[in-house]
Amino acid sequence: MNKKINKKSFLAHNILIFVFSLLSISAPAQEYAWAQSNNEQLLHIDEKRKIYEVSYSSSEESTPVNQTEGRYMLIPGGDAIGIKIQTDGLVVVDTYQVNTAEGTMNPAKDAGIMKGDLILAVNNQKVSTIEEYKEQLLLAEQSKQMILTINRQGKTSHLTVHPVISTDGVMTTGLYLRDKLAGIGTLTFIDPNSHKYGALGHEIIDQDTNQLVSIKNGEIINSNVVSVRKATSGKPGEKVADILFDDKLGTLEKNNNFGIYGVMSSELHNQKDLMPIAYINEVKAGPAQILTVLNGNKVEAFDIDITEVNMQTQKAIKGIKYTVTDERLLNQTGGIVQGMSGSPIIQDGKIVGAVTHVLVHDSTMGYGIFIEWMLQESGINYRSEEAQSDAA
């Protein structure tokens, strides 16, 4: 592929996807793929999900001790990880029409409830699971009234919804709700001092509501890649993996624009050799590699070419632009696929960043985030005091 990319042509097709694979685990759970464009509008691709219909029928900082010539050292990732999240409240995926003896009704919509709302409590009783909501629905059988505490884009309000009885004899509020999410991504690094980790390099967005997922409880868990669905033009590929829900690797404490972060409890990764980091001003156009898993849990290196470096002075995404040059990776996956978010980018034997985005119409091209931004976001003190002062 020609390394000299025409910028105007590139921007004209600059529709990106986050390469993290997400699936809903509100019963029953099925996997689906998703994508996101620059204007924050979701592009749904091969969606195969089913949401649970609710009804009732009678900075602690580390000390940089592992350094070589003043260079901070990390345990490199590349491992496939499962991500399990219990949301902080119940996510309103949608509302629906209910057929009743009096006609068709939408009690949730009539009450002012909207897609993307977060239900925090019912009748002043906090709810965190769908089962807890169903219990409150049962208690409302006599009063036919439920006062919902709603968080909508950071603002709290109280809305009254009146449950109805469908023609099937089911009492419902006409809501599709979800309380859990799961997905797969790639581990970027572990700090050998504090055991903090960073992964994905971008936020987890709820595919149905297009909002940042608010985490009540979360963890990362072991995952084995069983196959890869190859990417084609306009259709991103994805890793298919078995998530080993009982094999916890660590906590999940933070989800924001620059990745997910927590503390690793597993000792499995301590067997890896440490690798130094690269500072932003050291990253350059030219050959590099990514570390990721295509089969089982074997981390492998694949060639890419860094085509452009944006010398950012403050935390931001898309600092590194790249193309995939590895023939084996191209043959097996078509390039970067969903599930590769967080794959470390290695140049000259140093960790320079992580894979975060890929172009929908050309899976051989995409972006990455600088490792410095992920380290800062995790609260790791990777510089000397003087260097930190210079970067402030």
Side-chain angles (χ1 to χ4, degrees):
M1 178 179 295
N2 191 339
K3 295 180 182 179
K4 295 183 179 179
I5 302 171
N6 183 292
K7 283 190 176 181
K8 291 184 179 179
S9 174
F10 186 87
L11 291 173
H13 299 86
N14 194 17
I15 300 176
L16 303 171
I17 68 166
F18 292 154
V19 287
F20 164 73
S21 292
L22 183 67
L23 59 101
S24 167
I25 57 173
S26 295
Q30 295 189 30
E31 188 173 3
Y32 58 85
W34 61 284
Q36 185 165 8
S37 67
N38 271 354
N39 62 4
E40 303 300 320
Q41 296 300 310
L42 286 179
L43 173 63
H44 294 260
I45 299 175
D46 286 348
E47 186 178 284
K48 299 179 296 183
R49 73 194 189 284
K50 184 173 181 181
I51 307 301
Y52 196 90
E53 178 181 331
V54 177
S55 60
Y56 180 80
S57 182
S58 188
S59 151
E60 180 183 356
E61 292 192 349
S62 63
T63 303
V65 296
N66 289 307
Q67 300 193 35
T68 301
E69 297 180 352
R71 185 76 58 167
Y72 202 82
M73 308 287 281
L74 296 172
I75 300 171
D79 311 82
I81 55 171
I83 298 164
K84 184 169 71 174
I85 297 171
Q86 180 168 340
T87 56
D88 189 16
L90 303 179
V91 179
V92 176
V93 176
D94 211 343
T95 66
Y96 64 92
Q97 298 283 345
V98 182
N99 293 322
T100 73
E102 289 77 32
T104 302
M105 300 180 181
N106 192 326
K109 186 176 182 180
D110 292 343
I113 300 169
M114 299 173 60
K115 177 179 179 178
D117 285 349
L118 201 62
I119 300 176
L120 305 178
V122 179
N123 297 330
N124 293 320
Q125 297 295 313
K126 184 172 176 59
V127 291
S128 300
T129 67
I130 289 173
E131 288 303 315
E132 290 174 347
Y133 186 90
K134 290 172 68 176
E135 290 173 4
Q136 292 298 319
L137 183 59
L138 174 60
L139 293 174
E141 189 170 7
Q142 297 299 321
S143 66
K144 297 293 191 296
Q145 176 176 295
M146 299 169 70
I147 301 174
L148 307 188
T149 303
I150 300 292
N151 182 299
R152 181 179 297 164
Q153 297 180 344
K155 296 182 179 179
T156 302
S157 61
H158 302 279
L159 301 176
T160 301
V161 61
H162 299 279
V164 297
I165 305 296
S166 73
T167 53
D168 296 326
V170 175
M171 185 168 69
T172 180
T173 51
L175 282 171
Y176 290 116
L177 297 177
R178 186 176 57 233
D179 60 1
K180 298 181 183 70
L181 289 172
I184 60 169
T186 302
L187 181 70
T188 304
F189 69 85
I190 304 171
D191 176 29
N193 304 299
S194 64
H195 305 292
K196 293 179 179 179
Y197 74 85
L200 296 190
H202 63 69
E203 72 273 37
I204 297 176
I205 296 290
D206 189 308
Q207 189 263 356
D208 291 291
T209 67
N210 198 21
Q211 295 183 20
L212 184 77
V213 174
S214 178
I215 298 174
K216 178 185 180 184
N217 295 307
E219 58 189 33
I220 60 170
I221 46 193
N222 211 350
S223 176
N224 286 323
V225 177
V226 296
S227 65
V228 178
R229 294 172 184 154
K230 190 172 182 178
T232 58
S233 179
K235 186 174 180 179
E238 62 180 333
K239 292 184 181 182
V240 179
D242 287 333
I243 300 178
L244 310 178
F245 285 98
D246 294 328
D247 193 357
K248 179 179 177 179
L249 298 178
T251 64
L252 200 171
E253 300 170 3
K254 182 188 290 189
N255 169 38
N256 64 20
N257 293 342
F258 309 103
I260 62 171
Y261 302 91
V263 178
M264 186 69 65
S265 55
S266 171
E267 301 293 328
L268 295 176
H269 299 85
N270 291 345
Q271 301 170 5
K272 291 187 177 183
D273 292 334
L274 299 181
M275 185 176 289
I277 68 166
Y279 301 123
I280 291 172
N281 62 2
E282 296 174 320
V283 185
K284 60 183 182 296
Q289 293 180 314
I290 64 170
L291 303 180
T292 200
V293 174
L294 296 187
N295 184 45
N297 54 20
K298 181 182 178 182
V299 177
E300 300 180 88
F302 299 95
D303 294 332
I304 64 170
D305 192 70
I306 296 176
T307 58
E308 189 174 320
V309 179
N310 180 4
M311 293 297 178
Q312 298 162 337
T313 57
Q314 57 185 359
K315 277 187 288 190
I317 59 174
K318 295 189 292 185
I320 302 168
K321 187 159 68 176
Y322 60 84
T323 61
V324 176
T325 58
D326 194 287
E327 289 300 326
R328 180 180 161 223
L329 188 62
L330 292 170
N331 289 335
Q332 289 192 225
T333 69
I336 303 297
V337 299
Q338 295 179 103
M340 287 186 181
S341 280
S343 297
I345 300 174
I346 311 299
Q347 188 177 60
D348 297 333
K350 301 182 182 70
I351 304 175
V352 304
V355 168
T356 56
H357 298 72
V358 65
L359 296 186
V360 170
H361 295 291
D362 188 349
S363 58
T364 69
M365 304 169 64
Y367 287 96
I369 185 174
F370 290 117
I371 193 66
E372 282 201 77
W373 300 148
M374 295 185 71
L375 290 173
Q376 288 183 22
E377 200 59 41
S378 63
I380 294 172
N381 179 19
Y382 64 96
R383 285 182 177 267
S384 67
E385 291 185 8
E386 180 180 355
Q388 289 186 53
S389 177
D390 289 342

